[in-house]
Amino acid sequence: MKLKKILICITCICVASAIIAYPERYIDACLKGLLLWAECVVPSLFPFAVLSAILIKTGGVDILNKPLYCVSNRLKLPFVAPSCFVMAIASGYPAGSRIVTEFFEGGAFDKRDAEKLAFLCSTSGPLFIIGSVGSKMFANSAVGLKIFVAHTLSILLISLIFCAFSKRESAKITPLKRQGGNILHECFFGSASAMLNCGAFICFFYTVAQIAYDLNIFYPVQKLLCLFFEENICANLCKGLIEATGACVSIAQNNGKHAVALCGFLITFGGASIIFQQLSYLVKAGIKPAKFVAVKLIQAVVCFIFLLFLP
């Protein structure tokens, strides 16, 4: 624990020192992260975040879940799993993690089921992948659709394999504990707060990714990756391990042989920015960060493999 605190302290000092030493460069990087959030993330995430919050607060999810109760039971998932997954895949990061935590805190399931849903509902959304990545970055919505299909299949496959080896007696119908209040205000205010939280993460980690690149922190990893991929893509891939959205923009612009598959890998893994966004919610549900990151990495590798073979 002491070593962890020391490493965090050193990292913070290094980042702060770099920004002080080169303010123009890194203030500009922070601004680019902010613009990326405003152009690519908010339009694809905010409307669905509000809609999913309304469904949860009003109890609409119970109506959606009942027809699929048998499916949830057979897959060893909690009763609310279908609606959680649908809302997560419609909204995108980090809405799924927020939804899982809300259900957990509302008493809909225990920590074991929260872990299953944390893996299943860690998804990006179609508006971002097809619209932002496909249409804007690759100028081809078909590419976005291809990435979205591979991304969804990899999430489902690994999550359901994990569920198959877990123990569960039945998907008990546990009603969500709800409190009164101004539902409309809570839904919009909560969604807006989540958007600001998301923007803060993107701006910070976009800047950190640029600092890490300038300091050649990922140089050994980059040289190793050059054995398998084009050199001009490897640097952006390393940046993507910290902040995925900006890296996807650069990789799409280079449009190399493995550009689509690598973007699928980064979107599915999420990078430090998206992973920390999700964990900011999921730790409240008792999710172990190391295990969550490991599963995300496996899902990302599977997505990469799918994209190599999809026509």
Side-chain angles (χ1 to χ4, degrees):
M1 181 60 77
K2 188 176 180 180
L3 178 61
K4 180 181 177 181
K5 290 181 179 179
I6 292 172
L7 290 174
I8 292 173
C9 184
I10 292 173
T11 302
C12 290
I13 291 172
C14 290
V15 171
S17 301
I19 295 173
I20 292 170
Y22 302 98
E24 298 86 359
R25 180 169 180 78
Y26 298 123
I27 288 174
D28 181 63
C30 186
L31 179 60
K32 287 180 180 178
L34 180 63
L35 293 174
L36 198 66
W37 167 73
E39 291 178 3
C40 298
V41 178
V42 175
S44 63
L45 186 58
F46 183 69
F48 288 104
V50 173
L51 291 172
S52 62
I54 291 173
L55 282 172
I56 293 171
K57 297 291 184 182
T58 59
V61 291
D62 294 337
I63 299 173
L64 295 175
N65 286 318
K66 285 181 180 178
L68 297 173
Y69 168 71
C70 292
V71 177
S72 299
N73 190 26
R74 186 174 293 275
L75 296 175
K76 300 180 182 179
L77 287 166
F79 169 66
V80 296
S83 62
C84 281
F85 178 73
V86 170
M87 288 188 288
I89 201 73
S91 303
Y93 300 121
S97 299
R98 179 186 170 210
I99 291 166
V100 170
T101 303
E102 282 192 31
F103 275 110
F104 172 78
E105 293 180 333
F109 43 74
D110 59 16
K111 287 186 179 181
R112 183 184 295 177
D113 285 335
E115 185 178 64
K116 296 176 187 177
L117 289 182
F119 303 145
L120 181 65
C121 297
S122 176
T123 65
S124 187
L127 284 181
F128 175 74
I129 298 179
I130 299 174
S132 298
V133 178
S135 298
K136 288 186 178 181
M137 298 181 194
F138 283 95
N140 188 343
S141 59
V143 170
L145 179 60
K146 180 180 176 180
I147 295 174
F148 179 70
V149 170
H151 170 76
T152 305
L153 289 176
S154 63
I155 297 284
L156 282 170
L157 178 63
I158 301 304
S159 299
L160 294 181
I161 288 175
F162 177 82
C163 290
F165 287 95
S166 65
K167 295 180 180 180
R168 181 169 175 74
E169 293 180 2
S170 64
K172 297 178 181 178
I173 301 178
T174 308
L176 184 66
K177 298 174 185 176
R178 298 183 178 87
Q179 298 177 348
N182 189 333
I183 291 177
L184 200 59
H185 170 76
E186 290 176 4
C187 292
F188 275 86
F189 181 78
S191 299
S193 298
M195 290 301 98
L196 290 174
N197 184 58
C198 177
F201 272 97
I202 290 175
C203 288
F204 177 78
F205 282 100
Y206 192 95
T207 306
V208 170
Q210 187 61 55
I211 292 172
Y213 175 74
D214 291 344
L215 295 177
N216 287 319
I217 290 175
F218 284 112
Y219 182 77
V221 178
Q222 185 177 331
K223 296 305 291 183
L224 179 63
L225 290 172
C226 286
L227 298 175
F228 306 98
F229 308 112
E230 300 91 331
E231 187 173 354
N232 59 345
I233 281 183
C234 292
N236 292 315
L237 181 58
C238 288
K239 283 185 180 180
L241 296 177
I242 299 177
E243 203 291 306
T245 308
C248 285
V249 173
S250 301
I251 290 173
Q253 288 174 347
N254 289 324
N255 201 21
K257 180 181 177 181
H258 300 99
V260 174
L262 289 174
C263 280
F265 171 87
L266 289 177
I267 291 168
T268 306
F269 181 61
S273 175
I274 292 174
I275 285 174
F276 276 109
Q277 285 179 56
Q278 295 177 92
L279 288 174
S280 68
Y281 295 107
L282 293 174
V283 290
K284 300 174 187 177
I287 306 303
K288 296 179 180 178
K291 189 173 185 178
F292 181 76
V293 173
V295 172
K296 289 302 299 175
L297 182 59
I298 295 170
Q299 290 174 337
V301 170
V302 171
C303 181
F304 176 82
I305 294 171
F306 278 158
L307 287 168
L308 288 180
F309 294 99
L310 280 176

